[in-house]
Amino acid sequence: MNRLFSKIDSFVEDEKLFSDKDKLLISFSGGADSVLLAQYLLSFMPKENVHFVYFDHQLRSDSELDSEREFVSKFLLGMDVSFTLKRLPVQLFSDRNSLSLEEAGRVLRYRHLTHFSHLFSCSHVLTAHHRDDYCESMVFKLIRGSKKGVQ
């Protein structure tokens, strides 16, 4: 893992993305990409300079969400960092604004990330995505019959 972190360190330094003096807001899903990002950031960032936000889109069963929220809470409590669990009414927002669930979730997440970044005086907002996220999105679009964004 340290070899991976050293490559990321070089990229962060070369691109001057942020430093250990900045305050960061991290969107945390509990997935492998978010866990790796959290571990990486906490390898050099002071804990008081990071705040994590987990969004519950209220689209899955309570048992699924309970398990995920429990993992997220235990993980972040174990890392001894500040975090917020936020419920988003994605279905309602989607219906009221004639948006797809995916777009409604994105709009609500970004609105709340902006709000929390101001609330906690964060200079940067980070989200974790692995390289297969784009491929997965393209596959879903193809399955739904869309040719948009697949070039």
Side-chain angles (χ1 to χ4, degrees), residues 25-81:
L25 179 69
I26 298 95
S27 181
F28 186 82
S29 69
D33 45 358
S34 289
V35 168
L36 182 63
L37 179 63
Q39 291 174 327
Y40 168 68
L41 292 172
L42 294 171
S43 72
F44 70 92
M45 291 294 295
K47 290 180 181 182
E48 60 273 7
N49 287 16
V50 296
H51 186 86
F52 292 83
V53 179
Y54 167 81
F55 295 111
D56 169 359
H57 295 86
Q58 300 183 31
L59 296 173
R60 294 183 285 150
S61 71
D62 285 341
S63 61
E64 275 185 295
L65 287 170
D66 288 346
S67 174
E68 188 172 276
R69 280 191 298 259
E70 182 179 345
F71 169 78
V72 168
S73 296
K74 283 183 177 179
F75 179 83
L76 294 173
L77 283 169
M79 300 298 266
D80 193 30
V81 293

Side-chain angles (χ1 to χ4, degrees), residues 5 18 24 36 42 45 74 77 82 88 94 108 116 126:
F5 283 177
F18 51 83
L24 308 178
L36 182 63
L42 294 171
M45 291 294 295
K74 283 183 177 179
L77 283 169
S82 66
L88 301 177
S94 169
L108 288 174
F116 287 125
L126 284 78

Side-chain angles (χ1 to χ4, degrees), residues 80-119:
D80 193 30
V81 293
S82 66
F83 65 95
T84 301
L85 303 179
K86 178 68 179 165
R87 289 180 177 221
L88 301 177
V90 173
Q91 183 69 60
L92 180 63
F93 188 78
S94 169
D95 294 343
R96 287 187 177 167
N97 295 282
S98 301
L99 298 171
S100 69
L101 288 175
E102 187 176 316
E103 182 65 17
R106 184 179 303 112
V107 168
L108 288 174
R109 278 192 312 276
Y110 290 173
R111 281 184 185 174
H112 283 84
L113 286 170
T114 300
H115 166 74
F116 287 125
S117 71
H118 294 302
L119 181 67

Side-chain angles (χ1 to χ4, degrees), residues 7-17:
K7 286 185 176 197
I8 297 170
D9 283 339
S10 296
F11 178 75
V12 168
E13 285 178 28
D14 292 348
E15 299 299 320
K16 297 176 181 27
L17 297 180

